[in-house]
Amino acid sequence: MTSTPASTHASMPSGQRSPNASPPVSPPAIELRGISRAFGPVQANREIDLSVMPGTIHGIIGENGAGKSTLVSILYGFYQADEGEILIDGRRVDIHDSQAAIAAGIGMVFQHFKLVENFTVLENIILGSEKGALLRPVLAKARRELMDIEREYELEAPPDAKIEDLSIGQRQRVEILKALYRQARVLILDEPTGVLTPAEADRLFAILRRLRSEGKTIILITHKLREIMEVTDTVSVMRQGRMLATVATAATDIEELAERMVGRKVSLQIDKPCACLGDTLLEVENLHIETGTETPASPLAGIDFSLRAGEILGIAGVAGNGQSELLEVLAGYRRAKGSVRIKGCEVALSGSGIDAGSRRAAGLAHIPEDRQGVGLVMGFSVEENAILGYHRSFGYGTGALMDRSAIRSEAKRHITQFDIRPPDPGRAARDFSGGNQQKIVVAREIGAEPDILLIGQPTRGVDIGAIEFIHRRIIALRDAGKAILLVSVELEEILSLADRIMVMFGGRIMGERPAKETDERELGLLMAGVV
Amino acid sequence: MSELAADLIPVLDSTLRLSTPLLLACLAGLFSERAGVFDLGLEGKMLAAAFFSAAVAFLTDSVWTGLAAGVLASVVLALLHGLASISFRGNQLISGIAINFLAVGMTAMIARSWFGLGGHTPALEGGSRFDALHLPFEGIVAQVPLVGPLYAELISGHTILVYLSLALVPMTWWIFYRTRLGLRLRAAGEAPDAVETAGISVVGLRYIAVILCGVLCGLAGAYMATGLHAGFVNEMTAGRGFIALAALIFAKWRPWAALWSCLLFGFLQALSLRPDLFERHFSIHLQLQLLDALPYILTVVILAGFVGKAIPPKACGVPYVKGGAG
């Protein structure tokens, strides 16, 4: 086994041959030579070299903006490389559009599925590869072929079900079947586990291993280091548009990969002192959302919990099980029935009395899940976003006029305290990276010095350096005696931050565990609704 | 009772004739919007087709040449819409509205310059108009009670474009639900990124849809000037393109439902021509203006959403940018 090369630009073949000791006679299933691509002044990919041997699972990791998406788009013909060449099974191919990529044997499973939701599984699978102009014979033939593929790879999907009725995991299997139906030999998956439960992710990995045993080559693009360690044979790290190193997975570990990815040492373990519990600040009893006029996607069916000063209560669960609705009710922009007490005072949950402003006045702040839609006005500058929702209470000006210089100095304070980059208070929120957008929101809500902080998906789409930073701030807030309710679909995040963990499923609390006494396995079962 | 039935047949007969331009335009909109291109310019395309079909039919004395000219004019405007909204990813609403204005001004101006009749074409006659087709055995079957008058007066005796528009309903259904092209068109209107990743050109599909839309609008306009009426009059489409859009929403973008909703609108238009019927049979005196307004009132009611939820194709109106969202 090779040890990981310390410098950049590792020469690929030497790092490649080690896994599984497979016979190195055949050419790489896919090989990139010197791929570069610029968008205006931004060099998204710089001289990327990569070679992946057939029948292996290769991981590519990198932070947001490292150039992974660009590379994927080049491989699938959405963009053309400025320079460099792509070889499939040793033959040079010109991938000028998706059709060419499919013809070259490349199949792609995108992070956001490319499925027509009101079409059936079978219709989605044949779309674009219909063998004939009339649908009936085409569908009948495809049905038989699909059954063969399903048998061969032990994968199944109900052919006549509409996509909109399928679970996320099933939709992903349809995407994989689509690629196999097009006879893909190289399957590329972009952030495939972002939306899956741990059980579904395990199932996906089993499918990938099965595909590997059938000789398929798999490229897994992710920022989740744990997955890389679990399922890949070899792994490459991307940073700032470059492919840094390719190593055998067995010869490295999570810490080392994280360090390479970020370019400095990062601590993934969060050290936190024991919680010193204070008064109960938030009490929730028998919370329901009425179905009817404004039917929510997932209704709440009787939620009870309480939250004390100085603790982080984590709410785990697969997205869409009522967590979002719970946050919206507590933050004051969704009606509900039941009882919520903030610092002992009952708050209105329905009627005209509910609004987010009065919740803020009561000492409750909210970092929304959807930062681009709810947390920020994307076209506003950092300054304007810095006072959003607090524009009345902070004394930013008198009456109808705003005091620009006071607002600017507040925004500058946020920028320095939260390391928002680039440090330009006049720049529009949409021109920042996901991590920095999140910092703008976090800075505002923490800056308001709330007693209770609701946090939804604090690190979704945020790169690892910013994750570390945001986690530290959350812990610091807890240690300052604030009460924190943390909703996240990332189990690791919940496990490392929370003191207590509740799991939501189907609008109910499935169970509560002290964070120290539980693990991913137990929580994963609760998340799937198994008690 | 039989008196009412006897009076009803002519009303249904004109329902059929008045529904025809609506149905053709509605199917035109269906092709375009099912593929993801919103089209407010149905009206303008119909108007341009009406003018050019009448003008060319008059000049050449051939209704078929006129029809071809009308369809061509409509397709040219459709391509303009395609260029603006597909190739240059402009705002589809604005492009559609611009085409309507363009058509109103252009037809009036050219009409004046060519014919000098204050914006209309000379009246068409003979070979420059579509004649009614008389179906076989009309005379014999007419003797049969009940069925006879229905066949002879209602079903028989329309121009070929009326029959064509009716035949286009099952054809459209068949194309959308039984052919590869239909599957792809529907996908382009629902999830264009799925189409592009499947290796098919969204731009190409949307151009096909827009051109088909132009052809159908062309038939609709030509029918108005050379079938329903005898010549072009300024702004003769009178909002029919918009009524067709309302009918399309009412039909929830489905071909058969489009037929029924266009027949409903056509029926209301036919009724407004016969206020005497209400007096005679129901002894109600209705204001003529109220009857005239009925189709437009129904349009408002439909667009205000009183007829249930109509969900348009998901990507309709959204310009497609390749590899965009990610």
Short mmCIF file of all heavy atoms in Angstrom, two decimals, chain A residues 475-496:
data_model
loop_
_atom_site.label_atom_id
_atom_site.label_comp_id
_atom_site.label_asym_id
_atom_site.label_seq_id
_atom_site.Cartn_x
_atom_site.Cartn_y
_atom_site.Cartn_z
N ILE A 475 -22.03 26.02 20.32
CA ILE A 475 -21.60 25.53 21.64
C ILE A 475 -21.37 26.70 22.59
O ILE A 475 -21.77 26.69 23.77
CB ILE A 475 -20.30 24.70 21.53
CG1 ILE A 475 -20.53 23.48 20.64
CG2 ILE A 475 -19.78 24.31 22.90
CD1 ILE A 475 -21.23 22.35 21.30
N ALA A 476 -20.73 27.75 22.07
CA ALA A 476 -20.43 28.91 22.92
C ALA A 476 -21.72 29.54 23.44
O ALA A 476 -21.80 29.96 24.59
CB ALA A 476 -19.62 29.94 22.13
N LEU A 477 -22.72 29.55 22.59
CA LEU A 477 -24.00 30.12 22.99
C LEU A 477 -24.64 29.29 24.10
O LEU A 477 -25.20 29.81 25.06
CB LEU A 477 -24.92 30.16 21.76
CG LEU A 477 -25.99 31.24 21.73
CD1 LEU A 477 -25.36 32.62 21.73
CD2 LEU A 477 -26.86 31.06 20.50
N ARG A 478 -24.52 27.99 23.95
CA ARG A 478 -25.05 27.11 24.99
C ARG A 478 -24.34 27.36 26.30
O ARG A 478 -24.95 27.48 27.37
CB ARG A 478 -24.84 25.65 24.57
CG ARG A 478 -25.30 24.67 25.62
CD ARG A 478 -24.72 23.28 25.39
NE ARG A 478 -23.37 23.18 25.94
CZ ARG A 478 -22.87 22.08 26.46
NH1 ARG A 478 -23.57 20.98 26.50
NH2 ARG A 478 -21.63 22.05 26.94
N ASP A 479 -23.01 27.46 26.22
CA ASP A 479 -22.24 27.64 27.44
C ASP A 479 -22.51 29.00 28.07
O ASP A 479 -22.24 29.21 29.26
CB ASP A 479 -20.74 27.46 27.16
CG ASP A 479 -20.45 26.02 26.78
OD1 ASP A 479 -21.29 25.14 27.10
OD2 ASP A 479 -19.41 25.75 26.14
N ALA A 480 -23.05 29.92 27.27
CA ALA A 480 -23.43 31.21 27.83
C ALA A 480 -24.82 31.15 28.45
O ALA A 480 -25.39 32.18 28.82
CB ALA A 480 -23.38 32.29 26.75
N GLY A 481 -25.38 29.95 28.53
CA GLY A 481 -26.65 29.79 29.23
C GLY A 481 -27.89 30.00 28.39
O GLY A 481 -28.96 30.29 28.91
N LYS A 482 -27.75 29.88 27.07
CA LYS A 482 -28.92 30.02 26.22
C LYS A 482 -29.53 28.64 25.95
O LYS A 482 -28.84 27.61 26.07
CB LYS A 482 -28.54 30.66 24.87
CG LYS A 482 -27.69 31.89 24.99
CD LYS A 482 -28.41 33.03 25.68
CE LYS A 482 -27.53 34.27 25.67
NZ LYS A 482 -28.14 35.36 26.47
N ALA A 483 -30.80 28.65 25.59
CA ALA A 483 -31.47 27.40 25.24
C ALA A 483 -31.49 27.25 23.73
O ALA A 483 -31.85 28.20 23.03
CB ALA A 483 -32.90 27.41 25.78
N ILE A 484 -31.08 26.09 23.24
CA ILE A 484 -30.96 25.93 21.79
C ILE A 484 -31.73 24.70 21.33
O ILE A 484 -31.57 23.61 21.87
CB ILE A 484 -29.48 25.82 21.40
CG1 ILE A 484 -28.78 27.14 21.70
CG2 ILE A 484 -29.34 25.48 19.91
CD1 ILE A 484 -27.30 27.08 21.67
N LEU A 485 -32.56 24.92 20.32
CA LEU A 485 -33.27 23.81 19.68
C LEU A 485 -32.65 23.64 18.30
O LEU A 485 -32.70 24.54 17.47
CB LEU A 485 -34.76 24.13 19.56
CG LEU A 485 -35.63 23.00 18.98
CD1 LEU A 485 -35.71 21.85 19.97
CD2 LEU A 485 -37.02 23.51 18.65
N LEU A 486 -32.06 22.48 18.06
CA LEU A 486 -31.31 22.25 16.83
C LEU A 486 -31.99 21.18 15.99
O LEU A 486 -32.13 20.05 16.44
CB LEU A 486 -29.88 21.81 17.18
CG LEU A 486 -29.03 21.28 16.04
CD1 LEU A 486 -28.56 22.42 15.16
CD2 LEU A 486 -27.84 20.50 16.58
N VAL A 487 -32.44 21.56 14.81
CA VAL A 487 -33.03 20.58 13.90
C VAL A 487 -32.03 20.31 12.79
O VAL A 487 -31.52 21.25 12.17
CB VAL A 487 -34.35 21.10 13.30
CG1 VAL A 487 -34.82 20.18 12.18
CG2 VAL A 487 -35.41 21.22 14.37
N SER A 488 -31.71 19.05 12.56
CA SER A 488 -30.77 18.73 11.49
C SER A 488 -31.07 17.35 10.96
O SER A 488 -31.49 16.46 11.70
CB SER A 488 -29.34 18.81 12.01
OG SER A 488 -28.44 18.41 11.00
N VAL A 489 -30.86 17.18 9.67
CA VAL A 489 -30.99 15.84 9.11
C VAL A 489 -29.64 15.12 9.13
O VAL A 489 -29.57 13.94 8.83
CB VAL A 489 -31.55 15.85 7.66
CG1 VAL A 489 -32.98 16.32 7.65
CG2 VAL A 489 -30.71 16.72 6.77
N GLU A 490 -28.59 15.85 9.51
CA GLU A 490 -27.26 15.22 9.60
C GLU A 490 -27.11 14.62 10.99
O GLU A 490 -26.95 15.33 11.98
CB GLU A 490 -26.16 16.27 9.39
CG GLU A 490 -26.24 17.01 8.07
CD GLU A 490 -25.71 16.19 6.91
OE1 GLU A 490 -25.07 15.14 7.16
OE2 GLU A 490 -25.94 16.59 5.76
N LEU A 491 -27.14 13.29 11.04
CA LEU A 491 -27.07 12.63 12.34
C LEU A 491 -25.77 12.93 13.08
O LEU A 491 -25.75 13.15 14.28
CB LEU A 491 -27.19 11.12 12.15
CG LEU A 491 -28.56 10.54 12.43
CD1 LEU A 491 -28.48 9.03 12.40
CD2 LEU A 491 -29.09 11.02 13.77
N GLU A 492 -24.69 12.98 12.32
CA GLU A 492 -23.39 13.25 12.95
C GLU A 492 -23.41 14.58 13.68
O GLU A 492 -22.86 14.74 14.76
CB GLU A 492 -22.30 13.32 11.89
CG GLU A 492 -21.83 12.00 11.39
CD GLU A 492 -20.76 12.20 10.33
OE1 GLU A 492 -19.78 12.92 10.62
OE2 GLU A 492 -20.91 11.66 9.24
N GLU A 493 -24.05 15.55 13.02
CA GLU A 493 -24.11 16.89 13.58
C GLU A 493 -24.91 16.89 14.89
O GLU A 493 -24.48 17.43 15.90
CB GLU A 493 -24.77 17.82 12.56
CG GLU A 493 -24.97 19.23 13.03
CD GLU A 493 -25.28 20.15 11.86
OE1 GLU A 493 -24.33 20.67 11.26
OE2 GLU A 493 -26.47 20.32 11.53
N ILE A 494 -26.06 16.23 14.85
CA ILE A 494 -26.90 16.13 16.05
C ILE A 494 -26.13 15.44 17.15
O ILE A 494 -26.10 15.89 18.30
CB ILE A 494 -28.18 15.33 15.71
CG1 ILE A 494 -29.03 16.08 14.70
CG2 ILE A 494 -28.93 14.98 16.98
CD1 ILE A 494 -30.11 16.93 15.28
N LEU A 495 -25.48 14.32 16.80
CA LEU A 495 -24.77 13.54 17.82
C LEU A 495 -23.64 14.34 18.45
O LEU A 495 -23.37 14.21 19.64
CB LEU A 495 -24.23 12.25 17.21
CG LEU A 495 -25.25 11.11 17.15
CD1 LEU A 495 -24.77 10.02 16.21
CD2 LEU A 495 -25.52 10.55 18.54
N SER A 496 -22.95 15.15 17.65
CA SER A 496 -21.81 15.84 18.23
C SER A 496 -22.20 17.12 18.95
O SER A 496 -21.52 17.54 19.87
CB SER A 496 -20.76 16.13 17.16
OG SER A 496 -21.29 16.99 16.21
#
